[in-house]
Amino acid sequence: HQAIETIEFVLGMVSNTASYLRLWALSLAHSELATVFWEKAMLSTLNIDASWGWFATYIGFGVFAGVTFGVLLAMDVLECFLHALRLHWVEFQNKFFKADGVRF
């Protein structure tokens, strides 16, 4: 019986570590996507030397704001959902739930 609990404990530690690594990867992807959106949408329009460069910058900012808001907001919502799911299923269930065959 002790060996099974030891195996469950080790698997729980690995699972917790993998779960936090997933959240870290989403955070890193968020940061990198924000940088790419800034470079592609804004910096490319700021380098235009034409007399209508202000208009290109205006449109570039609209594209940057729209894409950043859409994609990164979706990623943030996914990150919050995954963290809440992790807290409920990984941490809460491990602390209080024991499948010992006793009826609820």
Side-chain angles (χ1 to χ4, degrees), residues 19-84:
S19 183
Y20 278 114
L21 285 175
R22 180 183 61 244
L23 292 173
W24 174 76
L26 275 173
S27 176
L28 182 64
H30 178 112
S31 172
E32 290 301 317
L33 277 174
T35 303
V36 168
F37 293 157
W38 176 258
E39 289 174 357
K40 297 299 181 188
M42 283 302 296
L43 291 184
S44 62
T45 60
L46 291 174
N47 294 330
I48 295 176
D49 291 332
S51 62
W52 51 274
W54 64 271
F55 185 70
T57 303
Y58 184 76
I59 296 298
F61 179 75
V63 169
F64 167 73
V67 169
T68 300
F69 182 76
V71 172
L72 297 182
L73 181 66
M75 286 183 65
D76 284 342
V77 168
L78 176 66
E79 186 174 350
C80 292
F81 171 74
L82 288 175
H83 191 61

Side-chain angles (χ1 to χ4, degrees), residues 89-100:
W89 285 100
V90 175
E91 291 190 10
F92 182 77
Q93 292 292 342
N94 283 346
K95 291 184 194 281
F96 303 108
F97 179 73
K98 295 284 184 193
D100 54 1

